[in-house]
Amino acid sequence: MKISLFDHIKKYISLSDEEWQDIAQYFTRKTVKKKENLLFEGQACRELHFVEEGCLRMFYVNAKPVEQITQFALEGWWLTDYKSFSAGTTSDYYIQTIEKSTITSIDSVAFENLLKFKPELERYFRIIFQKNVAVWQLRSRFVNEMSKEEFYFHFSQMYPEFMQRVPQYMVASYLGLTPEYLSELRRKI
């Protein structure tokens, strides 16, 4: 299901077609292949990505070395390393497409210029960032309060689309499970 950035912004603030024409120049739209990296560990994260179509993941490589997924993004979701993006520091993360994706991105300089040009967008991005923080807080609570089995069942009920579109080993990584244990849980259902 394709979701345009213009339509997404209009859910939160008033924006005319003419105003969109003025601000669209700040964004870059591109189609990226499956498993293409948008960010590598050690790079400064210079872009904020909106998913119009497809799926992204953000992950790091732990000491074992095993990929640990921290976040996914489907249509209508934003993804970036917020710390690196806002501070201009190097990132500890990778951002990669899970499937062929169409994304609309804005770099950090254009982002600051956009907010000066159209201050009403501060409200839009504040809402988006607050939602992102709320999701991280909820995930943290679930990780600490739920058993791994409960967390899996909760996640699969809240986000059935992920269960269909994201490879099971990636779901396992996000939930802190081994792929083998996830297979056991799936057989129980």
Side-chain angles (χ1 to χ4, degrees), residues 23 25-27 46-49 78 80 82 85-86 105-119 121-126 128-129:
I23 67 171
Q25 65 186 339
Y26 291 91
F27 297 94
R46 303 202 190 288
E47 293 183 308
L48 178 59
H49 306 288
W78 286 93
T80 193
Y82 289 98
F85 180 78
S86 61
S105 304
I106 186 166
D107 71 45
S108 55
V109 173
F111 182 72
E112 290 302 321
N113 291 334
L114 172 65
L115 296 181
K116 288 175 190 168
F117 173 73
K118 185 76 172 156
L121 285 170
E122 289 254 15
R123 173 178 161 69
Y124 168 74
F125 283 105
R126 178 184 50 80
I128 297 308
F129 295 163

Side-chain angles (χ1 to χ4, degrees), residues 86-183:
S86 61
T89 57
T90 58
S91 179
D92 295 326
Y93 298 97
Y94 295 83
I95 295 178
Q96 184 182 68
T97 58
I98 293 174
E99 54 193 38
K100 181 180 174 185
S101 302
T102 301
I103 59 172
T104 300
S105 304
I106 186 166
D107 71 45
S108 55
V109 173
F111 182 72
E112 290 302 321
N113 291 334
L114 172 65
L115 296 181
K116 288 175 190 168
F117 173 73
K118 185 76 172 156
E120 299 88 338
L121 285 170
E122 289 254 15
R123 173 178 161 69
Y124 168 74
F125 283 105
R126 178 184 50 80
I127 292 168
I128 297 308
F129 295 163
Q130 285 173 332
K131 286 182 173 216
N132 188 287
V133 169
V135 167
W136 276 84
Q137 288 174 327
L138 191 59
R139 180 176 188 251
S140 177
R141 181 175 176 191
F142 290 158
V143 165
N144 290 312
E145 287 185 357
M146 292 181 171
S147 69
K148 297 214 181 270
E149 188 174 294
E150 290 170 326
F151 190 28
Y152 166 75
F153 288 124
H154 176 76
F155 181 79
S156 63
Q157 289 174 347
M158 279 195 70
Y159 303 105
E161 193 170 357
F162 279 112
M163 305 308 287
Q164 295 169 357
R165 292 175 62 184
V166 174
Q168 292 303 300
Y169 76 92
M170 289 185 187
V171 172
S173 172
Y174 177 75
L175 297 174
L177 308 172
T178 65
E180 298 78 19
Y181 185 61
L182 181 60
S183 292

Side-chain angles (χ1 to χ4, degrees), residues 61-66:
V61 178
N62 66 23
K64 292 186 181 178
V66 174

